[in-house]
Amino acid sequence: MTTTTAVTDQPDLADLSDLSDLDESVRADPAAHRVLTGDRPTGPLHLGHYFGSLRNRVRLQRLGVEMFLVIPDYQVITDRDIADRLAEHTENLVLDYLATGIDADRATIFTHSSVPALNQLLLPFLSLVSVAELHRNPTVKDEIAHSSQAAVNGLMLTYPVHQAADILFCKADLVPVGKDQLPHLEVARTVARRFNERYPRPDGTAVFPRPRALLGAAPLLLGTDGGKMSKSRGNSIPIGADEDTTARLLKGAKTDADRRIGYDPAGRPEVSNLLLLTALCQDRTPEEVAEEIGDGGAAALKRTATEAVNEYFRPIRARRAELAADRAHLREVLRAGSGRANAIADATLAEVREVMGSL
C-alpha cells in the first residue's frame, strides 16, 4: 500500500497500514495496545464510517484492546465558520458508537474541549512540523477544496498536528482509519519521532510510541454521487437512517448503463462500490454478488444492495432507537470519559514539560 506523503524526511510507510502482522500481536497481548480514533461532530455517521473504521474498533475492543474515542469538537471550525448544532451532533456520535457495539464501560469517550491539557500539547508539536509540510498534506488539500468557508483559516493547516495531539496524549499505538486519513497519521508518526529524537527521557527511552494505522475491510466507500462518501457532501447513507430512507438514497446512487453487472473497481467504480457494500453486509465477495445479479442491471443491483444494507443494520438501528430515548445516559458517558481522559492528558503534559525542561 502506498500513499502520498505529507513529510519529506524518511516517511517510513512500510508498517503504516498493514493489519495482518498486527493481528497476532493484538491477540497475544491485547493489553499491550491502546487505540485512539474519533469523528468530528458535524453530522450523522454513515456506512463509510462503519465499514471503514467503526466495525474494526468494535473488533479490537472485543479482543481486549483499550479504546479511546475522541469527539474533536474544536476541529469542527476548521472548515466552517460556526459549529452548528454541536451538542446534538456530539450526542448523536455517542449514540452511533454505542449502537454499533462500543462498550462505554471499557471505552473512554470524550470531547476535545473537555480536556485542556490535550490541546496544550499542540504548541510543542507544531514546533516539530514545517509550514511547507503543513501545506503539502494531501488530505488537507482535499478538505480545503470542499470547505464551506470563503477563506481558509489557520486551523485547517494545523488540523493534522491537532490530530497528532489527540493520538499521542494517551500514547496510542493503533489508529483505525480510512485510507484518506493515512497522511494525517503519517504526521502523527513524524511528530512522535521528532519529539523522541529531540526530547528523550533521561534514560534515553522514547516518550511517545509511533502509532500504526488499521484499515477496515472497505477503507473507502463511495457516496451515492460516485465521490467520496462524506457527511458534508450530501452523498452518504447514515447508519441511523430508516429503511425507506436507505432505499431512496440507494435508488438514486450513480451507476452506469451496462446491464451486465461486474466487479471492476477501476473501470466501473460506482457499480463496484454497490457490489462491495452488498458483499460486506452479506459476508460474501463482490464477485459472488455480481454473478448472482448477472444481467439484472442497475435496478437489480440497487434492490440487492438495499435489502442487504437494511438487513445488516436492522439490529443496530433498533439498538440505536432504544439508546436515543435516554439522552441523559449519553451525557453521562461523555462526563465519565472526559474525566478519564483529563487524568491521562495531565500526566502526559507533565512529562512533556519535564523532558523539554519547561516549568
Side-chain angles (χ1 to χ4, degrees), residues 39 45-47 49-51 53-62 69 92-104 109 238-240 312-313 315-321 323:
D39 306 276
L45 297 184
H46 51 64
L47 305 193
H49 291 118
Y50 180 80
F51 289 112
S53 182
L54 281 172
R55 188 165 69 167
N56 201 28
R57 301 176 198 179
V58 174
R59 182 188 76 90
L60 290 166
Q61 187 181 54
R62 289 174 178 169
L69 290 169
N92 284 339
L93 281 186
V94 179
L95 189 57
D96 284 334
Y97 292 158
L98 302 184
T100 53
I102 293 294
D103 183 350
I109 305 174
I239 293 170
Y312 185 93
F313 284 93
I316 292 174
R317 289 165 173 173
R319 172 63 174 158
R320 193 180 189 280
L323 291 164

mmCIF file of all heavy atoms in Angstrom, residues 39 45-47 49-51 53-62 69 92-104 109 238-240 312-313 315-321 323:
data_model
loop_
_atom_site.group_PDB
_atom_site.id
_atom_site.type_symbol
_atom_site.label_atom_id
_atom_site.label_comp_id
_atom_site.label_asym_id
_atom_site.label_seq_id
_atom_site.Cartn_x
_atom_site.Cartn_y
_atom_site.Cartn_z
ATOM 1 N N ASP A 39 -14.328 10.947 15.503
ATOM 2 C CA ASP A 39 -15.049 11.520 14.370
ATOM 3 C C ASP A 39 -15.509 12.925 14.735
ATOM 4 O O ASP A 39 -15.963 13.169 15.856
ATOM 5 C CB ASP A 39 -16.277 10.667 14.033
ATOM 6 C CG ASP A 39 -15.916 9.217 13.818
ATOM 7 O OD1 ASP A 39 -15.517 8.860 12.697
ATOM 8 O OD2 ASP A 39 -16.017 8.434 14.793
ATOM 9 N N LEU A 45 -22.977 9.694 11.475
ATOM 10 C CA LEU A 45 -22.022 8.766 10.883
ATOM 11 C C LEU A 45 -22.734 7.907 9.831
ATOM 12 O O LEU A 45 -23.923 7.612 9.934
ATOM 13 C CB LEU A 45 -21.412 7.872 11.960
ATOM 14 C CG LEU A 45 -20.583 8.593 13.025
ATOM 15 C CD1 LEU A 45 -19.956 7.584 13.983
ATOM 16 C CD2 LEU A 45 -19.512 9.463 12.390
ATOM 17 N N HIS A 46 -21.978 7.501 8.813
ATOM 18 C CA HIS A 46 -22.586 6.814 7.683
ATOM 19 C C HIS A 46 -21.934 5.444 7.448
ATOM 20 O O HIS A 46 -21.065 5.015 8.220
ATOM 21 C CB HIS A 46 -22.525 7.682 6.426
ATOM 22 C CG HIS A 46 -21.153 8.216 6.119
ATOM 23 N ND1 HIS A 46 -20.086 7.402 5.795
ATOM 24 C CD2 HIS A 46 -20.675 9.493 6.076
ATOM 25 C CE1 HIS A 46 -19.021 8.134 5.553
ATOM 26 N NE2 HIS A 46 -19.339 9.408 5.726
ATOM 27 N N LEU A 47 -22.370 4.781 6.402
ATOM 28 C CA LEU A 47 -21.886 3.426 6.126
ATOM 29 C C LEU A 47 -20.393 3.392 5.851
ATOM 30 O O LEU A 47 -19.721 2.405 6.163
ATOM 31 C CB LEU A 47 -22.646 2.821 4.936
ATOM 32 C CG LEU A 47 -24.173 2.780 5.028
ATOM 33 C CD1 LEU A 47 -24.743 1.869 3.940
ATOM 34 C CD2 LEU A 47 -24.655 2.340 6.386
ATOM 35 N N HIS A 49 -18.176 5.257 7.363
ATOM 36 C CA HIS A 49 -17.559 5.237 8.688
ATOM 37 C C HIS A 49 -17.625 3.831 9.286
ATOM 38 O O HIS A 49 -16.662 3.347 9.882
ATOM 39 C CB HIS A 49 -18.294 6.192 9.639
ATOM 40 C CG HIS A 49 -18.125 7.631 9.310
ATOM 41 N ND1 HIS A 49 -19.178 8.450 8.973
ATOM 42 C CD2 HIS A 49 -17.017 8.416 9.280
ATOM 43 C CE1 HIS A 49 -18.732 9.680 8.758
ATOM 44 N NE2 HIS A 49 -17.429 9.687 8.921
ATOM 45 N N TYR A 50 -18.777 3.197 9.126
ATOM 46 C CA TYR A 50 -18.958 1.894 9.767
ATOM 47 C C TYR A 50 -17.981 0.858 9.225
ATOM 48 O O TYR A 50 -17.235 0.224 9.982
ATOM 49 C CB TYR A 50 -20.402 1.405 9.592
ATOM 50 C CG TYR A 50 -20.608 0.054 10.247
ATOM 51 C CD1 TYR A 50 -20.817 -0.036 11.619
ATOM 52 C CD2 TYR A 50 -20.549 -1.120 9.505
ATOM 53 C CE1 TYR A 50 -20.963 -1.273 12.235
ATOM 54 C CE2 TYR A 50 -20.701 -2.358 10.113
ATOM 55 C CZ TYR A 50 -20.905 -2.423 11.477
ATOM 56 O OH TYR A 50 -21.037 -3.665 12.088
ATOM 57 N N PHE A 51 -17.980 0.678 7.904
ATOM 58 C CA PHE A 51 -17.132 -0.354 7.322
ATOM 59 C C PHE A 51 -15.668 0.073 7.236
ATOM 60 O O PHE A 51 -14.780 -0.767 7.219
ATOM 61 C CB PHE A 51 -17.656 -0.757 5.944
ATOM 62 C CG PHE A 51 -18.932 -1.545 6.006
ATOM 63 C CD1 PHE A 51 -20.122 -1.011 5.538
ATOM 64 C CD2 PHE A 51 -18.948 -2.826 6.542
ATOM 65 C CE1 PHE A 51 -21.303 -1.729 5.595
ATOM 66 C CE2 PHE A 51 -20.133 -3.555 6.609
ATOM 67 C CZ PHE A 51 -21.304 -3.005 6.136
ATOM 68 N N SER A 53 -14.110 1.986 9.566
ATOM 69 C CA SER A 53 -13.435 2.119 10.859
ATOM 70 C C SER A 53 -14.236 1.589 12.038
ATOM 71 O O SER A 53 -13.701 0.874 12.881
ATOM 72 C CB SER A 53 -13.102 3.603 11.104
ATOM 73 O OG SER A 53 -12.408 3.778 12.302
ATOM 74 N N LEU A 54 -15.521 1.915 12.139
ATOM 75 C CA LEU A 54 -16.289 1.571 13.328
ATOM 76 C C LEU A 54 -16.289 0.073 13.613
ATOM 77 O O LEU A 54 -16.102 -0.351 14.761
ATOM 78 C CB LEU A 54 -17.732 2.063 13.184
ATOM 79 C CG LEU A 54 -17.992 3.543 13.441
ATOM 80 C CD1 LEU A 54 -19.419 3.897 13.072
ATOM 81 C CD2 LEU A 54 -17.718 3.897 14.887
ATOM 82 N N ARG A 55 -16.516 -0.724 12.597
ATOM 83 C CA ARG A 55 -16.570 -2.172 12.810
ATOM 84 C C ARG A 55 -15.236 -2.696 13.316
ATOM 85 O O ARG A 55 -15.189 -3.607 14.157
ATOM 86 C CB ARG A 55 -16.994 -2.879 11.519
ATOM 87 C CG ARG A 55 -17.261 -4.367 11.727
ATOM 88 C CD ARG A 55 -18.009 -4.983 10.566
ATOM 89 N NE ARG A 55 -17.199 -5.065 9.359
ATOM 90 C CZ ARG A 55 -17.539 -5.788 8.301
ATOM 91 N NH1 ARG A 55 -18.680 -6.470 8.301
ATOM 92 N NH2 ARG A 55 -16.774 -5.803 7.234
ATOM 93 N N ASN A 56 -14.156 -2.109 12.821
ATOM 94 C CA ASN A 56 -12.834 -2.522 13.268
ATOM 95 C C ASN A 56 -12.587 -2.103 14.718
ATOM 96 O O ASN A 56 -11.932 -2.815 15.482
ATOM 97 C CB ASN A 56 -11.763 -1.929 12.354
ATOM 98 C CG ASN A 56 -10.460 -2.696 12.423
ATOM 99 O OD1 ASN A 56 -10.429 -3.890 12.704
ATOM 100 N ND2 ASN A 56 -9.365 -2.015 12.175
ATOM 101 N N ARG A 57 -13.107 -0.941 15.116
ATOM 102 C CA ARG A 57 -12.974 -0.508 16.504
ATOM 103 C C ARG A 57 -13.652 -1.508 17.444
ATOM 104 O O ARG A 57 -13.101 -1.860 18.499
ATOM 105 C CB ARG A 57 -13.606 0.868 16.698
ATOM 106 C CG ARG A 57 -13.024 1.978 15.850
ATOM 107 C CD ARG A 57 -13.792 3.274 16.065
ATOM 108 N NE ARG A 57 -13.545 4.233 14.993
ATOM 109 C CZ ARG A 57 -14.102 5.434 14.930
ATOM 110 N NH1 ARG A 57 -14.933 5.828 15.876
ATOM 111 N NH2 ARG A 57 -13.827 6.245 13.924
ATOM 112 N N VAL A 58 -14.843 -1.921 17.087
ATOM 113 C CA VAL A 58 -15.576 -2.887 17.914
ATOM 114 C C VAL A 58 -14.810 -4.196 18.003
ATOM 115 O O VAL A 58 -14.697 -4.810 19.074
ATOM 116 C CB VAL A 58 -16.997 -3.100 17.353
ATOM 117 C CG1 VAL A 58 -17.710 -4.214 18.104
ATOM 118 C CG2 VAL A 58 -17.799 -1.800 17.427
ATOM 119 N N ARG A 59 -14.268 -4.639 16.875
ATOM 120 C CA ARG A 59 -13.485 -5.880 16.861
ATOM 121 C C ARG A 59 -12.305 -5.789 17.811
ATOM 122 O O ARG A 59 -12.043 -6.715 18.593
ATOM 123 C CB ARG A 59 -12.984 -6.152 15.438
ATOM 124 C CG ARG A 59 -12.184 -7.444 15.279
ATOM 125 C CD ARG A 59 -11.577 -7.528 13.884
ATOM 126 N NE ARG A 59 -10.431 -6.657 13.751
ATOM 127 C CZ ARG A 59 -9.172 -7.030 14.023
ATOM 128 N NH1 ARG A 59 -8.924 -8.250 14.460
ATOM 129 N NH2 ARG A 59 -8.179 -6.183 13.859
ATOM 130 N N LEU A 60 -11.597 -4.682 17.767
ATOM 131 C CA LEU A 60 -10.428 -4.512 18.629
ATOM 132 C C LEU A 60 -10.821 -4.457 20.101
ATOM 133 O O LEU A 60 -10.148 -5.036 20.960
ATOM 134 C CB LEU A 60 -9.679 -3.237 18.236
ATOM 135 C CG LEU A 60 -8.947 -3.292 16.892
ATOM 136 C CD1 LEU A 60 -8.538 -1.892 16.458
ATOM 137 C CD2 LEU A 60 -7.725 -4.190 16.976
ATOM 138 N N GLN A 61 -11.916 -3.763 20.396
ATOM 139 C CA GLN A 61 -12.339 -3.700 21.794
ATOM 140 C C GLN A 61 -12.724 -5.080 22.314
ATOM 141 O O GLN A 61 -12.410 -5.425 23.461
ATOM 142 C CB GLN A 61 -13.511 -2.731 21.953
ATOM 143 C CG GLN A 61 -13.878 -2.497 23.420
ATOM 144 C CD GLN A 61 -15.052 -1.572 23.588
ATOM 145 O OE1 GLN A 61 -16.118 -1.787 23.012
ATOM 146 N NE2 GLN A 61 -14.881 -0.535 24.401
ATOM 147 N N ARG A 62 -13.385 -5.855 21.496
ATOM 148 C CA ARG A 62 -13.782 -7.197 21.926
ATOM 149 C C ARG A 62 -12.585 -8.108 22.142
ATOM 150 O O ARG A 62 -12.646 -9.050 22.932
ATOM 151 C CB ARG A 62 -14.753 -7.801 20.906
ATOM 152 C CG ARG A 62 -16.123 -7.142 20.943
ATOM 153 C CD ARG A 62 -17.039 -7.629 19.838
ATOM 154 N NE ARG A 62 -18.355 -7.002 19.940
ATOM 155 C CZ ARG A 62 -19.299 -7.067 19.008
ATOM 156 N NH1 ARG A 62 -19.065 -7.750 17.874
ATOM 157 N NH2 ARG A 62 -20.458 -6.471 19.185
ATOM 158 N N LEU A 69 -11.967 7.141 22.307
ATOM 159 C CA LEU A 69 -12.726 7.738 21.205
ATOM 160 C C LEU A 69 -12.884 9.228 21.472
ATOM 161 O O LEU A 69 -13.603 9.636 22.388
ATOM 162 C CB LEU A 69 -14.099 7.081 21.086
ATOM 163 C CG LEU A 69 -14.108 5.636 20.574
ATOM 164 C CD1 LEU A 69 -15.477 5.010 20.762
ATOM 165 C CD2 LEU A 69 -13.702 5.587 19.117
ATOM 166 N N ASN A 92 -25.190 12.502 19.249
ATOM 167 C CA ASN A 92 -25.519 11.506 18.231
ATOM 168 C C ASN A 92 -24.316 10.643 17.863
ATOM 169 O O ASN A 92 -24.477 9.479 17.491
ATOM 170 C CB ASN A 92 -26.084 12.188 16.989
ATOM 171 C CG ASN A 92 -27.518 12.634 17.182
ATOM 172 O OD1 ASN A 92 -28.225 12.121 18.050
ATOM 173 N ND2 ASN A 92 -27.959 13.604 16.397
ATOM 174 N N LEU A 93 -23.107 11.194 17.959
ATOM 175 C CA LEU A 93 -21.919 10.368 17.753
ATOM 176 C C LEU A 93 -21.823 9.305 18.830
ATOM 177 O O LEU A 93 -21.545 8.129 18.547
ATOM 178 C CB LEU A 93 -20.658 11.227 17.759
ATOM 179 C CG LEU A 93 -20.318 12.017 16.508
ATOM 180 C CD1 LEU A 93 -18.957 12.683 16.665
ATOM 181 C CD2 LEU A 93 -20.306 11.136 15.277
ATOM 182 N N VAL A 94 -22.046 9.704 20.078
ATOM 183 C CA VAL A 94 -22.038 8.724 21.171
ATOM 184 C C VAL A 94 -23.099 7.656 20.909
ATOM 185 O O VAL A 94 -22.865 6.456 21.101
ATOM 186 C CB VAL A 94 -22.290 9.412 22.529
ATOM 187 C CG1 VAL A 94 -22.310 8.386 23.655
ATOM 188 C CG2 VAL A 94 -21.229 10.473 22.795
ATOM 189 N N LEU A 95 -24.238 8.084 20.443
ATOM 190 C CA LEU A 95 -25.330 7.170 20.120
ATOM 191 C C LEU A 95 -24.903 6.158 19.066
ATOM 192 O O LEU A 95 -25.132 4.945 19.205
ATOM 193 C CB LEU A 95 -26.522 7.994 19.637
ATOM 194 C CG LEU A 95 -27.870 7.300 19.437
ATOM 195 C CD1 LEU A 95 -28.324 6.617 20.708
ATOM 196 C CD2 LEU A 95 -28.903 8.343 18.997
ATOM 197 N N ASP A 96 -24.255 6.619 18.012
ATOM 198 C CA ASP A 96 -23.791 5.721 16.955
ATOM 199 C C ASP A 96 -22.717 4.762 17.486
ATOM 200 O O ASP A 96 -22.695 3.582 17.130
ATOM 201 C CB ASP A 96 -23.242 6.516 15.777
ATOM 202 C CG ASP A 96 -24.342 7.133 14.924
ATOM 203 O OD1 ASP A 96 -25.458 6.584 14.911
ATOM 204 O OD2 ASP A 96 -24.082 8.156 14.266
ATOM 205 N N TYR A 97 -21.806 5.275 18.319
ATOM 206 C CA TYR A 97 -20.767 4.410 18.875
ATOM 207 C C TYR A 97 -21.385 3.257 19.668
ATOM 208 O O TYR A 97 -21.037 2.088 19.481
ATOM 209 C CB TYR A 97 -19.838 5.210 19.803
ATOM 210 C CG TYR A 97 -18.973 6.234 19.125
ATOM 211 C CD1 TYR A 97 -18.454 7.313 19.847
ATOM 212 C CD2 TYR A 97 -18.659 6.162 17.773
ATOM 213 C CE1 TYR A 97 -17.657 8.273 19.246
ATOM 214 C CE2 TYR A 97 -17.866 7.117 17.161
ATOM 215 C CZ TYR A 97 -17.362 8.164 17.908
ATOM 216 O OH TYR A 97 -16.569 9.104 17.310
ATOM 217 N N LEU A 98 -22.294 3.597 20.578
ATOM 218 C CA LEU A 98 -22.883 2.577 21.435
ATOM 219 C C LEU A 98 -23.755 1.610 20.637
ATOM 220 O O LEU A 98 -23.742 0.401 20.890
ATOM 221 C CB LEU A 98 -23.708 3.243 22.547
ATOM 222 C CG LEU A 98 -22.959 4.220 23.460
ATOM 223 C CD1 LEU A 98 -23.891 4.726 24.563
ATOM 224 C CD2 LEU A 98 -21.717 3.576 24.056
ATOM 225 N N ALA A 99 -24.493 2.133 19.675
ATOM 226 C CA ALA A 99 -25.378 1.278 18.883
ATOM 227 C C ALA A 99 -24.612 0.271 18.044
ATOM 228 O O ALA A 99 -25.073 -0.857 17.819
ATOM 229 C CB ALA A 99 -26.265 2.138 17.983
ATOM 230 N N THR A 100 -23.421 0.649 17.574
ATOM 231 C CA THR A 100 -22.652 -0.249 16.717
ATOM 232 C C THR A 100 -21.797 -1.230 17.506
ATOM 233 O O THR A 100 -21.145 -2.088 16.917
ATOM 234 C CB THR A 100 -21.747 0.537 15.749
ATOM 235 O OG1 THR A 100 -20.941 1.463 16.490
ATOM 236 C CG2 THR A 100 -22.579 1.297 14.734
ATOM 237 N N GLY A 101 -21.784 -1.100 18.845
ATOM 238 C CA GLY A 101 -21.117 -2.124 19.639
ATOM 239 C C GLY A 101 -20.023 -1.661 20.573
ATOM 240 O O GLY A 101 -19.438 -2.479 21.294
ATOM 241 N N ILE A 102 -19.698 -0.359 20.591
ATOM 242 C CA ILE A 102 -18.702 0.126 21.532
ATOM 243 C C ILE A 102 -19.265 0.027 22.951
ATOM 244 O O ILE A 102 -20.396 0.437 23.210
ATOM 245 C CB ILE A 102 -18.309 1.582 21.218
ATOM 246 C CG1 ILE A 102 -17.566 1.658 19.881
ATOM 247 C CG2 ILE A 102 -17.456 2.172 22.341
ATOM 248 C CD1 ILE A 102 -16.213 0.955 19.873
ATOM 249 N N ASP A 103 -18.467 -0.513 23.873
ATOM 250 C CA ASP A 103 -18.869 -0.673 25.263
ATOM 251 C C ASP A 103 -18.339 0.512 26.065
ATOM 252 O O ASP A 103 -17.126 0.652 26.272
ATOM 253 C CB ASP A 103 -18.293 -1.978 25.812
ATOM 254 C CG ASP A 103 -18.723 -2.264 27.247
ATOM 255 O OD1 ASP A 103 -19.304 -1.371 27.895
ATOM 256 O OD2 ASP A 103 -18.462 -3.380 27.728
ATOM 257 N N ALA A 104 -19.235 1.385 26.515
ATOM 258 C CA ALA A 104 -18.816 2.595 27.220
ATOM 259 C C ALA A 104 -18.161 2.304 28.561
ATOM 260 O O ALA A 104 -17.440 3.142 29.090
ATOM 261 C CB ALA A 104 -20.022 3.513 27.428
ATOM 262 N N ILE A 109 -14.745 7.702 26.036
ATOM 263 C CA ILE A 109 -15.358 8.550 25.020
ATOM 264 C C ILE A 109 -15.405 9.971 25.576
ATOM 265 O O ILE A 109 -15.983 10.207 26.637
ATOM 266 C CB ILE A 109 -16.773 8.067 24.662
ATOM 267 C CG1 ILE A 109 -16.749 6.589 24.230
ATOM 268 C CG2 ILE A 109 -17.379 8.932 23.563
ATOM 269 C CD1 ILE A 109 -18.126 5.988 23.998
ATOM 270 N N PRO A 238 -26.665 7.483 6.232
ATOM 271 C CA PRO A 238 -26.408 7.420 7.668
ATOM 272 C C PRO A 238 -26.665 6.037 8.243
ATOM 273 O O PRO A 238 -27.567 5.313 7.793
ATOM 274 C CB PRO A 238 -27.387 8.448 8.248
ATOM 275 C CG PRO A 238 -27.700 9.372 7.114
ATOM 276 C CD PRO A 238 -27.670 8.507 5.888
ATOM 277 N N ILE A 239 -25.873 5.681 9.247
ATOM 278 C CA ILE A 239 -26.086 4.416 9.944
ATOM 279 C C ILE A 239 -27.498 4.362 10.517
ATOM 280 O O ILE A 239 -28.160 3.321 10.480
ATOM 281 C CB ILE A 239 -25.046 4.251 11.070
ATOM 282 C CG1 ILE A 239 -23.652 4.076 10.477
ATOM 283 C CG2 ILE A 239 -25.394 3.070 11.977
ATOM 284 C CD1 ILE A 239 -22.540 4.142 11.498
ATOM 285 N N GLY A 240 -27.969 5.486 11.051
ATOM 286 C CA GLY A 240 -29.272 5.520 11.703
ATOM 287 C C GLY A 240 -30.440 5.795 10.785
ATOM 288 O O GLY A 240 -31.568 5.969 11.258
ATOM 289 N N TYR A 312 -28.670 -5.977 7.394
ATOM 290 C CA TYR A 312 -27.479 -5.931 8.238
ATOM 291 C C TYR A 312 -27.648 -4.926 9.378
ATOM 292 O O TYR A 312 -27.274 -5.203 10.528
ATOM 293 C CB TYR A 312 -26.260 -5.569 7.396
ATOM 294 C CG TYR A 312 -24.953 -5.606 8.158
ATOM 295 C CD1 TYR A 312 -24.164 -6.755 8.165
ATOM 296 C CD2 TYR A 312 -24.513 -4.501 8.885
ATOM 297 C CE1 TYR A 312 -22.970 -6.802 8.870
ATOM 298 C CE2 TYR A 312 -23.324 -4.541 9.594
ATOM 299 C CZ TYR A 312 -22.550 -5.686 9.575
ATOM 300 O OH TYR A 312 -21.382 -5.731 10.298
ATOM 301 N N PHE A 313 -28.183 -3.750 9.061
ATOM 302 C CA PHE A 313 -28.247 -2.670 10.051
ATOM 303 C C PHE A 313 -29.527 -2.675 10.879
ATOM 304 O O PHE A 313 -29.669 -1.845 11.784
ATOM 305 C CB PHE A 313 -28.064 -1.317 9.370
ATOM 306 C CG PHE A 313 -26.638 -1.038 8.996
ATOM 307 C CD1 PHE A 313 -26.168 -1.357 7.725
ATOM 308 C CD2 PHE A 313 -25.752 -0.506 9.918
ATOM 309 C CE1 PHE A 313 -24.834 -1.138 7.382
ATOM 310 C CE2 PHE A 313 -24.429 -0.286 9.589
ATOM 311 C CZ PHE A 313 -23.960 -0.599 8.313
ATOM 312 N N PRO A 315 -30.666 -4.668 13.383
ATOM 313 C CA PRO A 315 -30.462 -4.723 14.845
ATOM 314 C C PRO A 315 -29.696 -3.521 15.391
ATOM 315 O O PRO A 315 -29.954 -3.077 16.519
ATOM 316 C CB PRO A 315 -29.672 -6.028 15.039
ATOM 317 C CG PRO A 315 -29.069 -6.335 13.708
ATOM 318 C CD PRO A 315 -30.039 -5.809 12.694
ATOM 319 N N ILE A 316 -28.782 -2.985 14.617
ATOM 320 C CA ILE A 316 -28.043 -1.798 15.053
ATOM 321 C C ILE A 316 -28.986 -0.615 15.180
ATOM 322 O O ILE A 316 -28.935 0.155 16.155
ATOM 323 C CB ILE A 316 -26.902 -1.487 14.065
ATOM 324 C CG1 ILE A 316 -25.827 -2.580 14.138
ATOM 325 C CG2 ILE A 316 -26.304 -0.103 14.319
ATOM 326 C CD1 ILE A 316 -24.732 -2.435 13.106
ATOM 327 N N ARG A 317 -29.889 -0.464 14.222
ATOM 328 C CA ARG A 317 -30.832 0.648 14.248
ATOM 329 C C ARG A 317 -31.849 0.486 15.371
ATOM 330 O O ARG A 317 -32.271 1.481 15.983
ATOM 331 C CB ARG A 317 -31.516 0.773 12.895
ATOM 332 C CG ARG A 317 -30.567 1.288 11.804
ATOM 333 C CD ARG A 317 -31.090 1.080 10.408
ATOM 334 N NE ARG A 317 -30.231 1.734 9.421
ATOM 335 C CZ ARG A 317 -30.371 1.600 8.105
ATOM 336 N NH1 ARG A 317 -31.341 0.822 7.605
ATOM 337 N NH2 ARG A 317 -29.558 2.233 7.276
ATOM 338 N N ALA A 318 -32.228 -0.750 15.684
ATOM 339 C CA ALA A 318 -33.144 -0.981 16.792
ATOM 340 C C ALA A 318 -32.475 -0.603 18.116
ATOM 341 O O ALA A 318 -33.099 0.032 18.988
ATOM 342 C CB ALA A 318 -33.581 -2.440 16.810
ATOM 343 N N ARG A 319 -31.221 -0.991 18.267
ATOM 344 C CA ARG A 319 -30.479 -0.631 19.468
ATOM 345 C C ARG A 319 -30.310 0.890 19.561
ATOM 346 O O ARG A 319 -30.421 1.476 20.646
ATOM 347 C CB ARG A 319 -29.104 -1.313 19.431
ATOM 348 C CG ARG A 319 -28.139 -0.894 20.522
ATOM 349 C CD ARG A 319 -28.635 -1.251 21.898
ATOM 350 N NE ARG A 319 -27.634 -0.965 22.919
ATOM 351 C CZ ARG A 319 -27.920 -0.772 24.197
ATOM 352 N NH1 ARG A 319 -29.171 -0.840 24.621
ATOM 353 N NH2 ARG A 319 -26.951 -0.528 25.070
ATOM 354 N N ARG A 320 -30.071 1.517 18.448
ATOM 355 C CA ARG A 320 -29.909 2.978 18.435
ATOM 356 C C ARG A 320 -31.182 3.669 18.900
ATOM 357 O O ARG A 320 -31.130 4.657 19.650
ATOM 358 C CB ARG A 320 -29.528 3.440 17.022
ATOM 359 C CG ARG A 320 -29.028 4.870 16.933
ATOM 360 C CD ARG A 320 -28.683 5.241 15.496
ATOM 361 N NE ARG A 320 -28.014 6.526 15.424
ATOM 362 C CZ ARG A 320 -28.616 7.698 15.470
ATOM 363 N NH1 ARG A 320 -29.943 7.760 15.589
ATOM 364 N NH2 ARG A 320 -27.916 8.821 15.399
ATOM 365 N N ALA A 321 -32.336 3.175 18.465
ATOM 366 C CA ALA A 321 -33.609 3.768 18.862
ATOM 367 C C ALA A 321 -33.821 3.646 20.367
ATOM 368 O O ALA A 321 -34.331 4.565 21.020
ATOM 369 C CB ALA A 321 -34.756 3.104 18.103
ATOM 370 N N LEU A 323 -31.429 3.456 22.710
ATOM 371 C CA LEU A 323 -30.487 4.350 23.378
ATOM 372 C C LEU A 323 -30.897 5.814 23.249
ATOM 373 O O LEU A 323 -30.666 6.618 24.155
ATOM 374 C CB LEU A 323 -29.090 4.163 22.785
ATOM 375 C CG LEU A 323 -28.402 2.827 23.094
ATOM 376 C CD1 LEU A 323 -27.223 2.615 22.149
ATOM 377 C CD2 LEU A 323 -27.936 2.791 24.541
#
